[in-house]
């Protein structure tokens, strides 16, 4: 049996208490909600925190509040299954629903939280291995070693942002609330991420993810398309998140984000711009896909070959936009 | 026994009886090896090599040995005697002695009071290595004869080279209307049983050792333990626990089994080891990666005049079953369609990867893939429907093949008819819209090997019965249920003969102290061999009961019938004793009622060197049709439906037969589409994906519908006519998938797995093909030349071998 | 005897490891299969370890211990969850159901009977986890469609069955829970006949 390393455990009942413990323990401490990302990592000795702070008892970190008209507040410790079952999410933020529904397996979604997925450790198949395996490659830059084995010349770790919710939250323009002993700050979801496989979050180690706010859903349509080998268990090797706001038939605003092709979600700015002011037709979609796919720069550290993954970006952007569809097309895409 | 060829007259055999171990497994009370907990039990961990090929300079266990809670540390020196499953490949050590041969090769072992401590101690062991050049592919191992991975073997890093010729292939090619040649590659894959291997060893105060293990072959573990521990076998007891999946992956004696036994003997306390998933990938013994070239000369109507088959196996770091695997890649090409002249060249390389061995279909899915795709291409070039091509040229029942395999019952025609009719083949083949495809392939598999693994003239299996006065029957047999349902088959066969309820039978299995030897659950041998032994034992018991009952009822013994828990006068069934009363009568008449049965396969017609592999008491047959979609923009394959007809001879239990078919189709699809046991040659030879997340085993979401057709063509050598079903149905899946991909989008993927990337590459290529370009240059030995039966051969090699030059 | 083997006599000085782990043990009350169970375990122990090693409920199996296979699935708060990734001390007071708790007294759950009957348990190793996931599905959806079953069990790997007999067994159990006389189809038991 693979066992967890030893640690001290705290289960505070309030956010303030949690922030205080975190501050007090310093970088030796980590917070844990569902544990589906952290515990496997700990069993493989990627992280061996001296102290774990469980967030399960903090009611203020759970739940979905608000309305499509005002926007939603989602507690980061909300279990993924509960979000899947939320009509607010499913009907008004279908792209988010699809992203959540595609995470791992139904059983894992009964345990994992959205905050956990947002903060998901970057992944790399030189990193996500047992301690003994990693010792055989003399470890890697991300943990216990110096070299990035994906690209030994690289001075930055190339581990992949593999969160399904990250690209869609970026596309929705979600805001993230971070709380620490020092106070609270709110940032754009896209500013949470950094293109560095090691230091992949701008969240400080003393900060706790305390809330996710989604803007009003009115007139936004959304979708999320995910590429992976199997329809369960597998992390994305590509995720395409699309949010489009229409003014009549015309695209008023478009947001297109790529997941799992870099160390952070990637915004396809040119493709977005190409859609604005036009109808969503086969032609405009094709153009957006053409503009988006050079941004995907997969490296050889996930399942599938990187060339094929890059090629698929074009196809999946097209699919995601087709799925969003123009207003009035088959519903379930939002408002 | 009076059973019609339609199975009429059978009461238990042929019925969908609930598995006798089913409810226990569903209640969670079945004890697997890791479920065993003994007082004062210690935990073992193995320290494994982080380098693929190196000499061991120094092993420093001092830090580990000093750690509190650590009870013992072992290194190779403590277990210097080599072992291995085949007598010709005794090349493994429980812990590496002087060299390591793959990343994951165990070098040292610790026993500690708990697993946490054992883990820390394992990591405190320091080993100094002198690295050696590593061989990471077939080509590399052939190209670089040194440094040698092993000091034995045919040459350099070639473990085994084989050349056999039956008839005269050059003459056959000359006589053929057309000659076709193709090159194929079949990637390696692993068994991936859900249960990780585990073993517990304990020593009695009087020094007797007991080892519980998740093994498919307790008898061979018994032999290996006796050898390596240098202990009399009589002092060693091996108990095979029900296997949480085997598929061939638990058929070798393993390092960890020997290590816990040694630790237990040294410390005097029970010791358990449970492998992590990563370590299971290192145990491996899975599908050999095989590069193949096939050249076939055919007549205009598709009769095979000559075939020359070459295979190149990537064996990994040790011998395991590899010599047998190599022969198997050349053995069964002849049992489906007549091959007039046949030549086989095969070699197996040592490489610095976990050893390959027997995975479901052992050595035959790879050549079958090559042959069936090759035939699909030939059919197209000849303008013959692939189903018709095969139906037109089937090996006749009760015949000898070019390589002297004796085919008994042969139901392949019925199998092909079933899948062709069931799938609507004639309406669909080459008529579906682009992107939709249908493909067909056939296969055959052995029902046990004709010869044992180590030379002996004893039975391959034995069954003992003990009849109780209360009417219960205890059946003792060394077989082990790995999920395939062998316990149930055993109960059904005995129940059938004795006319009782299978649930009144208690099975005692896989225990070298208590049960007669059965060689193990491999090579699809159990139903046929154990079934025959069980019939013999049960018939002997029946004879005793019949005599006693005939005396009691005053009728001739021939008139005594058995059925429905009664022993009765067949001419007046109201004159009857309950089975329990019949046992009482027999026990009063003869004393305690116990009988034995055993089984030895019939002698083989093949008498040439290398003919130990291939001969079997019977051959099963399968035909598959796969229907799928290919997205030409992405290369994505989605299998919609698989039709599979399997000639099982006689169906002992239909629901279990269907289950074996479905499971084989599943595993075949995994190999065909996504599973790969591959390594990073440029990163120190580490396993590329040693986890259940990265090694892609299909989930519920990928599994298509399977339509199973059970074909019964009873074989005279099978118990009630039964043949195997556990492995054969896997074989036609990969070629049927590849043939269907061609039907869908017109590209040939001459290697598995068939990934979307390969399909797109093939679509973009001028040849519309993806696959290996050729085979390495190899100097093959002069073949052992065996005249075919139709040349008047005797099964022996020709005395006068013509020189190789003259034959070219 | 080689030098590297230590003799152990009673609880001597060198049992530091044992005292270390006993020092750090926590006392917990668990509600397993409707029974209150008191355990003392290390804070870093998972529910899987405590169920198997402390409570000897070895019906719950393990296949990877990393959340990648579903073998160790149990019901926690009525939902299937992976016991290999649950901290035992987070499970205190919450209802836990393992495969051993599916039967009602001596009567197996209809799922257990249907699985045994249709050969949906071959080696039986993934079976306890799948039964727990299936039980949760039937609790929520008494008549699930094939697609719903596929999805609900998509987190459980099985290497033996190809899943099809498992789907059929869930369907049979669902039907039997409404009509005890429900029987499997001819094709389920015998394959298709032409």
């Amino acid at each position: 049996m693979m066992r967890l390393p030893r640690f001290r455990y705290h289960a505070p009942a309030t956010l303030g208490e949690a922030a205080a413990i975190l501050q007090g323990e310093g970088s030796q401490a980590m917070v844990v909600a569902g544990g589906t990302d952290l515990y496997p990592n700990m069993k493989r000795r990627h992280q061996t925190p001296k102290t774990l702070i469980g967030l399960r008892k903090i009611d203020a970190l759970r739940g979905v509040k608000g309305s499509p008209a005002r926007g939603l507040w989602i507690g980061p410790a909300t279990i993924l299954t509960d979000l899947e079952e939320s009509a607010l999410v499913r009907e008004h933020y279908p792209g988010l629903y699809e992203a959540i529904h595609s995470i791992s397996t139904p059983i894992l979604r009964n345990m994992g939280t959205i905050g956990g997925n947002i903060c998901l450790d970057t992944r790399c198949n030189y990193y996500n291995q047992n301690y003994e395996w990693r010792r055989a490659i003399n470890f890697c830059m991300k943990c216990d070693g110096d070299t990035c084995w994906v690209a030994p010349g690289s001075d930055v770790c190339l581990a992949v942002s593999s969160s399904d919710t990250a690209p869609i939250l970026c596309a929705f323009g979600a805001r993230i609330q971070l709380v620490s002993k020092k106070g609270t700050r709110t940032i754009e979801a896209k500013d949470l991420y950094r293109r560095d496989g090691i230091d992949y979050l701008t969240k400080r180690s003393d900060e706790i993810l305390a809330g996710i706010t989604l803007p009003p859903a009115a007139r936004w349509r959304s979708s999320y398309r995910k590429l992976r080998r199997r329809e369960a268990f597998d992390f994305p090797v590509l995720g395409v998140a699309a949010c489009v706001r229409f003014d009549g038939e015309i695209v008023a605003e478009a947001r297109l984000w790529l997941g799992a092709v870099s160390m952070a979600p990637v915004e396809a700015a040119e493709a977005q711009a190409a859609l604005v002011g036009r109808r969503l037709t086969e032609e405009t979609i094709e153009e957006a896909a053409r503009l988006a796919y050079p941004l995907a720069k997969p490296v050889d550290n996930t399942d599938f070959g990187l060339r094929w993954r890059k090629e698929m970006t074009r196809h999946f952007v097209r699919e995601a936009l087709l799925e969003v569809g123009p207003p009035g097309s088959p519903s379930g895409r939002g408002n | 026994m009076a059973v019609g060829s339609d199975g009429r007259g059978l009461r238990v055999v042929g019925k969908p009886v609930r598995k006798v171990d089913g409810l226990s497994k569903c209640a969670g009370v079945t004890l697997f090896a890791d479920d065993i907990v003994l007082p004062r039990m210690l935990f073992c961990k193995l320290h494994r090599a982080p380098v693929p090929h190196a000499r061991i300079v120094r092993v420093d266990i001092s830090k580990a040995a000093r750690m509190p809670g650590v009870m013992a540390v072992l290194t190779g020196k403590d277990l210097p005697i080599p072992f291995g499953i085949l007598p010709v490949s005794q090349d493994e050590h429980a812990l590496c002695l002087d060299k390591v041969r793959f990343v994951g090769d165990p070098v040292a072992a610790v026993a500690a009071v708990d697993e946490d401590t054992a883990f820390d101690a394992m990591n405190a062991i320091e080993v100094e290595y002198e690295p050696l050049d590593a061989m990471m592919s077939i080509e590399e191992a052939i190209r670089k004869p040194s440094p040698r991975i092993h000091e034995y073997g045919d040459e350099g890093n070639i473990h085994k080279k084989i050349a056999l010729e039956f008839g005269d292939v050059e003459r056959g090619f000359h006589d053929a209307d057309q000659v076709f040649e193709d090159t194929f590659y079949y990637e390696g894959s692993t068994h991936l049983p859900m249960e990780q291997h585990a073993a517990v060893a304990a020593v009695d105060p009087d020094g007797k050792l007991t080892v519980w293990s998740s093994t498919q072959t307790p008898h061979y573990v018994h032999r290996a333990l006796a050898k390596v521990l240098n202990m009399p076998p009589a002092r060693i007891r091996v108990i095979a626990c029900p296997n949480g999946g085997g598929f061939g992956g638990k058929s070798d004696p393993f390092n960890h089994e020997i290590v816990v036994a040694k630790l237990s003997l040294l410390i005097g306390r029970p010791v358990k080891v449970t492998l992590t998933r990563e370590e299971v990938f290192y145990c491996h013994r899975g599908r050999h990666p095989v590069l193949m070239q096939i050249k076939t000369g055919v007549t205009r109507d598709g009769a095979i005049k000559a075939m020359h088959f070459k295979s190149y196996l990537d064996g990994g770091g040790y011998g395991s079953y590899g010599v047998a695997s190599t022969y198997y890649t050349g053995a069964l090409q002849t049992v489906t369609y007549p091959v007039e002249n046949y030549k086989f060249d095969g070699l197996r390389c040592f490489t610095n990867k976990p050893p390959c061995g027997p995975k479901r279909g052992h050595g035959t899915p790879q050549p079958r893939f090559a042959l069936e795709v090759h035939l699909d291409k030939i059919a197209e070039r000849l303008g013959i429907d692939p189903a018709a091509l095969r139906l037109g040229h089937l090996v006749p029942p009760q015949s000898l093949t070019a390589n002297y395999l004796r085919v008994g019952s042969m139901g392949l025609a019925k199998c092909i008819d079933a899948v062709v009719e069931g799938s609507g083949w004639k309406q669909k083949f080459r008529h579906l819209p682009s992107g939709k495809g249908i493909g067909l392939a056939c296969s055959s598999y052995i029902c046990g090997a004709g010869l044992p693994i180590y030379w002996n003239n004893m039975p391959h299996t034995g069954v003992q019965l003990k009849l109780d006065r209360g009417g219960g029957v205890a059946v003792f047999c060394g077989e082990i249920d790995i999920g395939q349902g062998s316990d149930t088959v055993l109960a059904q066969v005995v129940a059938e003969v004795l006319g009782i309820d299978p649930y009144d039978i208690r099975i005692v299995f896989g225990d070298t102290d208590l049960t007669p030897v059965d060689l193990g659950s491999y090579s699809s041998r159990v139903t046929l061999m154990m079934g025959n032994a069980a019939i013999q034992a049960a018939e002997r018991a029946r004879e005793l009961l019949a005599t006693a009952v005939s005396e009691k009822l005053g009728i001739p013994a021939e008139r005594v019938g058995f059925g429905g828990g009664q022993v009765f006068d067949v001419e007046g069934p109201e004159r009857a004793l309950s089975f329990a009363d019949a046992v009482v009568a027999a026990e009063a008449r003869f004393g305690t009622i116990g009988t034995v049965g055993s089984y030895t396969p019939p002698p083989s017609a093949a008498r040439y060197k290398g003919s130990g592999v291939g001969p079997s008491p019977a051959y099963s047959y399968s035909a598959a049709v796969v229907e799928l979609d290919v997205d030409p923009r992405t290369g994505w394959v989605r299998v919609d439906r698989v039709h599979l007809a399997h000639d099982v001879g006689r169906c002992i239990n239909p629901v279990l037969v269907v289950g074996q078919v479905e499971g084989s189709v599943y595993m075949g699809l995994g190999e065909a589409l996504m599973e790969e046991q591959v390594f990073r040659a440029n990163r120190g030879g580490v396993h590329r994906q040693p986890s259940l997340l990265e090694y892609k085993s299909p989930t519920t979401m990928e599994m298509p519908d399977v339509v199973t057709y059970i074909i019964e063509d009873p074989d005279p050598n099978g118990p009630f006519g039964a043949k195997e079903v556990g492995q054969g149905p896997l074989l036609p899946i990969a070629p049927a998938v590849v043939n269907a991909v061609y039907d869908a989008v017109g590209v040939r993927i001459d290697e598995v797995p068939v990934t979307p990337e390969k399909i797109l590459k093939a679509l973009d290529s001028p040849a519309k093909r993806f696959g290996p370009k050729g085979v390495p240059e190899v100097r093959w030995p002069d073949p052992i030349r065996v005249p075919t039966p139709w040349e008047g051969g005797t099964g022996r090699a020709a005395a006068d071998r013509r020189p190789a030059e003259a034959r070219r | 005897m080689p030098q590297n083997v230590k003799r152990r006599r009673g609880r001597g000085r060198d049992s530091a490891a044992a005292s270390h782990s006993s020092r750090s043990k926590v006392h917990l009350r668990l509600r397993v299969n409707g029974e209150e169970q008191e355990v003392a375990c290390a804070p870093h122990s998972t529910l899987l370890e405590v169920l198997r090693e402390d409570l000897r409920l070895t019906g719950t199996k393990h296949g990877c211990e990393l959340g990648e296979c579903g073998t160790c699935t149990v019901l926690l708060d009525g939902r299937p969850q992976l016991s290999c990734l649950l901290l035992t001390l987070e499970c205190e007071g919450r209802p836990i159901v393992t495969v051993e708790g599916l039967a009602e007294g001596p009567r197996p759950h209809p799922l257990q009977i249907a699985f045994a009957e249709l050969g949906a348990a071959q080696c039986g190793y993934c079976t306890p986890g799948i039964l727990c996931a299936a039980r949760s599905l039937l609790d929520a959806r008494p008549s699930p469609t094939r697609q719903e079953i596929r999805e609900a069990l998509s987190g459980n790997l099985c290497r033996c069955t190809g899943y099809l007999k498992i789907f059929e067994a869930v369907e049979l159990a669902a039907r039997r829970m409404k009509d005890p006389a429900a029987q499997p189809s001819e094709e389920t038991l015998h394959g298709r006949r032409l």
Side-chain angles (χ1 to χ4, degrees), chain A residues 44 54 95 133 190 214 302:
Chain A
R44 289 171 151 173
W133 189 99
K190 65 184 165 70
L214 287 170
T302 69

Side-chain angles (χ1 to χ4, degrees), chain C residues 25-80:
Chain C
K25 275 190 176 178
V26 288
H27 278 81
L28 299 172
R29 275 176 197 281
L30 299 177
R31 283 168 58 199
V32 184
N33 299 326
E35 278 174 55
E36 190 100 335
Q37 300 268 12
E38 202 168 329
V39 294
C41 64
H44 65 284
S45 61
T46 62
L47 181 60
L48 172 66
E49 290 155 13
V50 168
L51 288 173
R52 287 180 55 80
E53 294 163 9
D54 297 87
L55 300 176
R56 299 282 170 92
L57 291 169
T58 53
T60 301
K61 308 300 182 198
H62 53 86
C64 69
E65 300 113 57
L66 294 167
E68 301 174 350
C69 72
T71 305
C72 67
T73 301
V74 300
L75 297 176
L76 177 66
D77 301 330
R79 280 178 170 180

Side-chain angles (χ1 to χ4, degrees), chain B residues 75 301 317 321 357 464 476 543 626 711 720 738 782 788:
Chain B
T75 65
D301 71 346
Y321 285 81
Q464 273 180 328
F476 300 80
E543 216 173 289
V626 166
I711 306 297
F720 304 100
V738 161
D782 292 346
T788 58

Side-chain angles (χ1 to χ4, degrees), chain A residues 1-6 43-45 104 123-126 128-137 148-152 227-235 300-309 311-312 315-316 318-319 322, chain B residues 34 43 45 47-48 50-51 103 114-116 119-120 122-123 125 274-276 278 282 631 633-636 638 673-674 676 680 682-683 686-699 701-702 755-757 760-761 764:
Chain A
M1 199 94 82
M2 294 185 69
R3 289 165 201 270
L4 288 166
R6 293 184 173 86
K43 286 187 176 184
R44 289 171 151 173
R45 305 300 189 266
S104 190
R123 299 186 63 84
C124 172
N125 48 26
Y126 287 100
N128 297 102
Q129 303 290 354
N130 292 358
Y131 182 80
E132 299 79 41
W133 189 99
R134 291 187 291 119
R135 189 177 51 199
I137 59 161
C148 173
W149 292 109
V150 188
L227 176 63
R228 54 176 162 175
R229 185 87 59 166
R230 304 174 297 178
E231 276 184 62
F233 290 105
D234 292 349
F235 285 95
D300 183 21
N301 60 352
T302 69
D303 190 20
F304 289 119
L306 49 110
R307 235 176 259 147
W308 184 78
R309 281 164 62 204
E311 257 176 84
M312 288 307 103
H315 183 68
F316 272 64
R318 192 193 300 120
E319 296 252 301
L322 282 173
Chain B
D34 188 45
F43 296 84
K45 286 271 184 199
H47 177 97
R48 293 174 184 271
V51 288
V103 172
D114 56 39
E115 228 177 346
D116 284 334
F119 176 85
D120 291 341
M122 163 188 85
N123 281 315
I125 293 169
T274 306
L275 302 190
T276 63
E278 182 184 340
Y282 296 148
D631 183 338
R633 293 165 304 173
T634 59
W636 201 267
R638 179 157 193 102
L673 297 170
M674 55 182 83
E676 292 180 288
R680 289 192 184 272
N682 62 343
R683 296 284 182 267
V686 290
H687 196 296
R688 208 180 158 98
Q689 59 256 76
S691 71
L692 284 180
L693 182 65
E694 296 169 292
Y695 182 93
K696 301 301 181 186
S697 179
T699 74
M701 305 302 282
E702 282 74 44
T755 62
E757 299 155 284
L760 277 199
K761 279 186 184 157
D764 285 343

Side-chain angles (χ1 to χ4, degrees), chain B residues 38 101 205 353 420 422 430 532 804:
Chain B
L38 298 173
R101 293 179 173 88
K353 302 188 250 185
V420 162
R430 300 289 189 263
N532 280 324

